C-alpha cells in the first residue's frame, strides 16, 4: 500500500483531534463523577438542599424495587423528619459517556451498615442521566438496580 502525503496528513490530523477531544472530556468526566458522588451522599445524609442542587426540575428516579418517583416525591422521601442512621457509602466504578450537553453515568454504590453488632454490606448499580443546564450539570434521572451478593 502506498501512502500519499494527503493520506498521512489527514491521519495525523484525525489523531490530533482525537487527543484534543479526549483532553477536553476529562474535566467533564471528573465533574460528572463528582455530581453523582454529591447526589449519592445527599441521599445517604437526607440532605434535601443538596438534592435540589444536584437535580433538575424534571428529575425522575426509578427505585431498586421499580417504583418511578418524580423529583418532589424523591425529595419528600429525604425530608429531615424521615432521616435515619446512614450506612457508610462508597461510590466507585464510574463510567461516563458524553453526548454533547447530555451525559450517561453509571457507578456502583456500596453500603455498609452495622445491625445488632454485625456488619452488613450491599451494593447497587446506579445509572444516571445528566444535562448541561445554564453551564451546570444536573441529574435528570437515576435508576438503581440491586447487585446480588456473591454466592458463598
Amino acid at each position: 500500500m502506498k501512502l500519499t502525503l494527503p493520506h498521512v496528513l489527514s491521519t495525523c490530523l484525525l489523531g490530533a483531534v482525537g487527543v484534543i477531544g479526549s483532553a477536553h472530556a476529562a474535566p467533564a468526566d471528573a465533574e460528572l463523577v463528582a455530581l453523582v458522588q454529591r447526589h449519592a451522599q445527599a441521599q445517604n445524609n437526607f440532605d434535601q438542599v443538596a438534592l435540589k442542587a444536584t437535580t433538575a426540575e424534571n428529575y425522575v428516579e426509578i427505585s431498586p424495587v421499580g417504583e418511578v418517583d418524580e423529583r418532589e416525591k424523591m425529595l419528600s422521601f429525604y425530608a429531615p423528619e424521615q432521616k435515619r442512621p446512614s450506612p457508610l457509602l462508597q461510590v466507585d466504578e464510574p463510567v461516563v459517556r458524553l453526548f454533547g450537553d447530555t451525559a450517561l453515568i453509571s457507578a456502583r454504590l456500596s453500603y455498609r451498615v452495622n445491625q445488632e453488632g454485625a456488619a452488613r454490606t450491599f451494593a447497587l448499580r446506579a445509572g444516571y442521566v445528566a444535562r448541561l443546564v445554564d453551564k451546570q450539570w444536573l441529574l435528570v434521572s437515576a435508576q438503581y438496580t440491586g447487585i446480588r451478593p456473591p454466592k458463598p
Side-chain angles (χ1 to χ4, degrees):
M1 180 171 121
K2 185 177 177 185
L3 295 177
T4 64
L5 183 59
H7 178 87
V8 171
L9 290 175
S10 65
T11 302
C12 290
L13 179 60
L14 288 173
V17 168
V19 169
I20 292 167
S22 64
H24 290 296
D29 286 5
E31 186 178 352
L32 288 159
V33 170
L35 172 66
V36 163
Q37 290 173 329
R38 282 194 316 275
H39 183 263
Q41 286 296 341
Q43 286 182 325
N44 202 44
N45 297 329
F46 286 71
D47 184 346
Q48 282 186 324
V49 173
L51 287 170
K52 285 180 183 177
T54 58
T55 58
E57 293 287 330
N58 61 345
Y59 175 85
V60 174
E61 182 174 287
I62 301 171
S63 77
V65 295
E67 294 176 353
V68 179
D69 299 330
E70 293 187 9
R71 186 176 191 236
E72 289 308 314
K73 185 174 180 186
M74 177 272 298
L75 289 172
S76 69
F77 180 84
Y78 294 104
E81 63 271 10
Q82 302 280 6
K83 188 173 182 174
R84 42 194 175 269
S86 299
L88 294 174
L89 169 63
Q90 178 178 336
V91 179
D92 60 7
E93 298 180 9
V95 177
V96 177
R97 302 278 192 267
L98 282 172
F99 302 96
D101 67 349
T102 303
L104 305 177
I105 308 105
S106 63
R108 183 177 66 175
L109 309 178
S110 301
Y111 298 90
R112 181 182 170 97
V113 62
N114 291 318
Q115 289 181 326
E116 300 169 8
R120 180 175 166 255
T121 61
F122 62 97
L124 302 171
R125 185 70 58 191
Y128 302 92
V129 178
R131 294 285 319 253
L132 194 57
V133 180
D134 297 326
K135 299 181 183 180
Q136 178 185 3
W137 287 104
L138 295 174
L139 297 175
V140 293
S141 74
Q143 181 168 352
Y144 303 97
T145 304
I147 298 174
R148 287 188 191 140
K151 293 183 180 181

